[in-house]
Amino acid sequence: MNERTWCLDFGHGGVINGIYQTAPKKMYKFPDGELAYEGVFNRVLGNIIMHIANAHNLHNVVICPTNLDLSLELRVDFANSLHKVYKNCVYLSLHANAGKGTGFEIWTSPGQTKSDEYADMFAEEIIADFPHEKFRRDTSDGDLDKESNFYVLKHTNCPAVLFENMFFDNREDWDKMKNPSFQGKLAECIVRVMRKINDLNN
Ligand SMILES: [Zn+2]
């Protein structure tokens, strides 16, 4: 067992005094007037993950413990500072998708690193737990994750995985994303993999 320090990054901002901090981006207004804020969903899910992780005594640090939409530079600097001290950080960035598709995606930086090994473990568990949801895989390089130079993936000095959990501008996906039992099931699934990764000897 090789204890990791989990850096939990809640993507974008929350709501302060009625004002969505990432507006007008990363939000969607449905025809019936309902507003979906990605950053709020990322925080709801992230906080459940944090509580379950704490119950299992997993070392974790919330990288954006505020409703402010902290810059990506601040988030990555914080994680890299933690990694210097704790040596064995893993960065999990929580997001949701837009573009009216459906389902899950998991992203790593290009090339084969430990991030890909971990991303595959998360992907396999999500596919097993959510067999009726689409898992949008990238089959070009034979593994399940998609690869991109997203800032938080490229500039973190530790393994980093970015989750796009469902589509906040798709009514069916959004209804699930608001459902506490769906949120809890997804958080349980993610923490189960965090525990499996902790048990790896690398
Ligand atoms: Zn996002």
Side-chain angles (χ1 to χ4, degrees):
M1 171 133 155
N2 201 346
E3 193 72 55
R4 268 84 175 166
T5 298
W6 295 92
C7 298
L8 303 176
D9 173 31
F10 306 165
H12 314 299
V15 172
I16 301 175
N17 201 17
I19 298 167
Y20 180 48
Q21 298 296 302
T22 314
K25 292 194 256 175
K26 308 298 176 183
M27 58 184 282
Y28 182 71
K29 190 173 187 178
F30 287 97
D32 65 3
E34 182 175 351
L35 286 162
Y37 296 132
E38 185 200 332
V40 172
F41 168 75
N42 297 335
R43 278 164 175 70
V44 169
L45 179 68
N47 279 306
I48 302 170
I49 290 171
M50 179 197 70
H51 284 294
I52 301 172
N54 285 339
H56 289 289
N57 298 310
L58 298 180
H59 299 172
N60 67 87
V61 179
V62 174
I63 291 296
C64 188
T66 168
N67 284 320
L68 292 170
D69 186 353
L70 298 184
S71 73
L72 300 178
E73 290 85 349
L74 271 177
R75 295 173 193 237
V76 168
D77 283 353
F78 184 24
N80 286 341
S81 301
L82 289 166
H83 188 56
K84 250 188 213 159
V85 177
Y86 293 102
K87 311 292 185 220
N88 214 357
C89 288
V90 183
Y91 193 93
L92 301 183
S93 192
L94 300 174
H95 285 262
N97 227 329
K100 309 215 171 172
T102 183
F104 296 96
E105 292 175 351
I106 292 184
W107 294 78
T108 61
S109 58
Q112 280 298 320
T113 65
K114 254 193 218 179
S115 306
D116 295 271
E117 180 188 348
Y118 299 167
D120 262 359
M121 292 172 70
F122 283 110
E124 281 167 16
E125 202 83 2
I126 287 173
I127 290 166
D129 277 17
F130 295 89
H132 302 299
E133 305 300 342
K134 186 168 187 171
F135 190 89
R136 299 156 57 96
R137 62 191 78 201
D138 171 13
T139 51
S140 62
D141 59 354
D143 53 27
L144 296 167
D145 61 303
K146 295 189 167 196
E147 300 193 337
S148 162
N149 279 316
F150 285 138
Y151 188 92
V152 300
L153 299 178
K154 188 174 176 192
H155 295 282
T156 38
N157 295 333
C158 60
V161 177
L162 185 143
F163 297 76
E164 296 278 13
N165 294 312
M166 311 290 279
F167 282 69
F168 64 83
D169 60 355
N170 170 326
R171 170 51 75 185
E172 284 183 22
D173 276 24
W174 180 243
D175 284 345
K176 291 171 188 164
M177 293 160 76
K178 290 187 297 181
N179 182 331
S181 73
F182 183 91
Q183 296 162 357
K185 185 177 169 186
L186 179 54
E188 291 277 0
C189 176
I190 288 171
V191 175
R192 200 182 312 130
V193 179
M194 292 161 67
R195 297 174 69 200
K196 284 184 186 177
I197 292 171
N198 255 13
D199 288 341
L200 296 174
N201 278 319
N202 66 12

